[in-house]
Amino acid sequence: MINQTGRLYIKNVEKLLDCPYKHKKNAREDIIGIVEMYLRDNPYASYGDMVDMLGSPEDMAAEWMKDIPEGERCRTYRKWKRFYTAVAAVLLIVAVGTSSAVVHFIRHPYTDEITTVVDYTKNFPSYWDYAEKYGINYEYDSSGVIIRATDNQRNEIAVDQEGIPLDKEKYFIEEKQ
């Protein structure tokens, strides 16, 4: 059984191991075995006693690191370094792109107005002018034939089939020739 002192020693050695996970896992298992064996014989050993007998955590980590091939040392550091470099490059590209877009729109603001002139008079029926000018409201049946016309006060107005008011004097309607 490993006590608090043994766990601290193992943790300090693991921090110093700069190697891939598979090597670190194997080293951890071996270090745990060594510490357990030592604590079985010396259950009340202090941290200093462990360092005196097993060596400092730095010495133990260095001993394990010498068995790892040179090409695999610091691999984890290089992987993270590449990852952080890639993230920094992407952020830099995004920042430059965003800045360029902002500068472009500051220098060339979009101020043009889109206007479209539509001549509605071609599509409206002839009575539309009366509806607009005198406030006449028309009601239609399902086939689009005018069935009723009223003014703004809801008074009925007599209209012909084309929706033109029959009261020619009130609405200033001139006869077509």
Side-chain angles (χ1 to χ4, degrees):
M1 180 107 196
I2 299 177
N3 62 17
Q4 186 72 21
T5 307
R7 283 194 290 273
L8 180 62
Y9 183 83
I10 293 167
K11 184 178 177 181
N12 289 338
V13 173
E14 282 183 320
K15 285 181 186 177
L16 298 168
L17 292 174
D18 188 19
C19 57
Y21 177 75
K22 66 179 182 176
H23 292 295
K24 195 177 274 195
K25 183 179 173 188
N26 293 337
R28 177 181 169 76
E29 291 170 2
D30 291 342
I31 294 167
I32 288 173
I34 293 168
V35 171
E36 279 180 339
M37 218 176 351
Y38 175 74
L39 289 175
R40 200 173 313 125
D41 297 335
N42 305 297
Y44 301 108
S46 68
Y47 190 83
D49 295 338
M50 289 181 75
V51 169
D52 290 340
M53 189 62 167
L54 301 175
S56 68
E58 292 82 6
D59 295 337
M60 179 75 80
E63 190 66 32
W64 279 101
M65 291 297 293
K66 75 177 186 178
D67 294 337
I68 298 172
E70 185 66 36
E72 293 188 25
R73 289 185 194 169
C74 302
R75 177 189 277 169
T76 43
Y77 172 74
R78 286 190 300 247
K79 281 183 184 177
W80 282 109
K81 186 176 179 182
R82 283 189 214 130
F83 173 75
Y84 287 129
T85 302
V87 168
V90 168
L91 291 175
L92 180 65
I93 290 169
V94 168
V96 168
T98 304
S99 299
S100 298
V102 168
V103 168
H104 172 76
F105 285 113
I106 287 173
R107 287 185 180 170
H108 309 289
Y110 185 77
T111 57
D112 295 338
E113 290 184 26
I114 300 173
T115 56
T116 305
V117 178
V118 178
D119 185 10
Y120 291 108
T121 58
K122 294 180 183 175
N123 300 328
F124 288 129
S126 59
Y127 61 83
W128 193 263
D129 290 334
Y130 299 106
E132 187 177 343
K133 187 174 182 181
Y134 300 111
I136 299 174
N137 303 303
Y138 296 95
E139 292 180 27
Y140 312 93
D141 65 7
S142 59
S143 61
V145 175
I146 298 172
I147 55 172
R148 185 171 174 224
T150 58
D151 63 11
N152 286 336
Q153 287 79 35
R154 301 271 184 219
N155 299 322
E156 284 221 24
I157 299 172
V159 294
D160 63 10
Q161 293 173 340
E162 295 177 2
I164 299 173
L166 296 177
D167 187 353
K168 310 255 186 239
E169 291 177 11
K170 182 176 180 183
Y171 296 105
F172 307 105
I173 299 173
E174 297 177 10
E175 293 291 327
K176 291 183 185 177
Q177 295 178 355

